[in-house]
Amino acid sequence: MNIEVVNAWKRFNDFTALGGVSLQIKSGELVALLGPSGSGKTTLLRIIAGLEFPERGEVRFDGRDASLRSARERNVGFVFQHYALFRHMTVFENVAFGLRARPRHLRLPEEAIHDKVNRLLDLVQLKWLSDRYPSQLSGGQRQRIALARALAIEPRVLLLDEPFGALDAKVRKELRRWLRNLHEELPVTSVFVTHDQDEALEVADRVVVMDKGRIEQIGTPEEVYNNPQTSFVNEFIGESVVVPIVVKDRLARWHSMPLPIDVSGLRDGKANLFVRPYEMSIVSPDETPLHATIKRVRGLGASRRAEIALHYGETDLVLEIDAPRAPAIEVGAFVGLKPRNYRVFPALA
């Protein structure tokens, strides 16, 4: 199932949840909608599902306008963050619910329902819990049952809203890997919402980064991490050290002193230099105008971090960067900082 969202707008009173969003999702893809709270990702997911409707714009399934079709008519499976399992039903009955709720003329025979539910429970590796109730399951097990229930109706599209958000870190990591493997076995187009960048980068084929009701960037996990296209994406994806600079006469400047930084294409004015913590080198102060003092060094082995006070006028800008094992650096040392790789974006107003 190919999904296309065309110029979708959605407002809630005075709040613009989506401001002209367009997105294409290929059949069989696993796509993550990633962004902070209020970015519009859940609203976009609900519009794809048919649980919300855009004020302007269209949703197309395989090229056909689905904007006025309900979630049932769209044949969409939906998995919520808090499972939404029926507490009075066993695991087996929860998974069978959607099959038994079909109109009589579309309902499978009971024997076929029984076989299908057992196959799904095998797929999520929980057939041995078929006679248990949700209260007797762990959080991770409940979420896998919720997924089996969504798959029971053979949806052409599977939508997941923060599916692992209520689980602890260890279980989330296990289920991320499990979902990736499961998706490779199933012929279904999947879209999931998350604010967890590790989750999006690990699981998705493509990542849609959103902020304030708009799409900032779409790309593979490698593309959005290694080649962020906006200041927001650079700050939101991964970890960055941010150094305020000024662009003047096509040069990057730090306290009027030129920096060996490429700022081609940027207009004069304030800008921000973004550097990954592992891409900032500690050098002699003679090599760079970026001068700092080592405040603290922590960690052992390869994962050492240095807290550094970058001298910035009357105040210091405190940064954290990776610290080398050799040569050893000492607390209180006066050093220079030199980025090996970086991005520069205009400072936001």
Side-chain angles (χ1 to χ4, degrees), residues 239-242 273-277 279-280 339-342:
E239 185 182 0
S240 290
V241 170
V242 185
L273 170 67
F274 292 88
V275 187
R276 302 294 186 193
E279 293 180 329
M280 183 76 88
R340 299 190 301 276
N341 196 14
Y342 56 86

Side-chain angles (χ1 to χ4, degrees), residues 154-170:
E154 297 183 2
R156 300 179 68 191
V157 176
L158 179 64
L159 305 176
L160 306 100
D161 188 8
E162 298 273 9
F164 310 136
L167 305 173
D168 63 52
K170 182 179 179 182

Side-chain angles (χ1 to χ4, degrees), residues 1 61 71-78 95-100 102 106 108 112-113 115-117 119-120 123 146-159 186-190:
M1 171 77 77
F61 283 10
R72 181 186 291 268
E73 292 170 323
R74 295 183 193 193
N75 193 20
V76 165
F78 209 108
V95 177
F97 177 80
L99 298 172
R100 290 180 173 151
R102 285 175 169 171
L106 297 176
L108 294 172
I113 290 176
D115 289 344
K116 187 166 188 176
V117 171
R119 286 199 306 272
L120 285 166
L123 185 67
L147 183 55
R149 186 178 65 181
L151 293 171
I153 62 170
E154 297 183 2
R156 300 179 68 191
V157 176
L158 179 64
L159 305 176
L186 299 174
V188 63
T189 304
S190 302

Side-chain angles (χ1 to χ4, degrees), residues 73-89:
E73 292 170 323
R74 295 183 193 193
N75 193 20
V76 165
F78 209 108
V79 179
F80 298 91
Q81 177 178 350
H82 296 287
Y83 326 125
L85 296 176
F86 299 113
R87 290 179 292 177
H88 64 288
M89 293 184 182

Side-chain angles (χ1 to χ4, degrees), residues 195-262:
H195 64 271
D196 185 329
Q197 58 175 281
D198 291 337
E199 190 168 284
L201 297 176
E202 181 179 335
V203 174
D205 298 318
R206 285 194 303 151
V207 178
V208 179
V209 186
M210 299 186 66
D211 185 44
K212 298 177 182 176
R214 298 185 182 274
I215 292 176
E216 293 275 333
Q217 186 172 345
I218 305 172
T220 66
E222 292 79 11
E223 287 168 346
V224 297
Y225 184 86
N226 294 322
N227 296 294
Q229 299 300 303
T230 69
S231 176
F232 173 81
V233 176
N234 206 129
E235 270 197 282
F236 190 74
I237 302 291
E239 185 182 0
S240 290
V241 170
V242 185
V243 179
I245 61 172
V246 171
V247 177
K248 187 176 181 182
D249 300 328
R250 291 181 290 184
L251 290 174
R253 298 178 183 274
W254 172 257
H255 295 304
S256 300
M257 294 176 287
L259 289 168
I261 299 296
D262 181 9

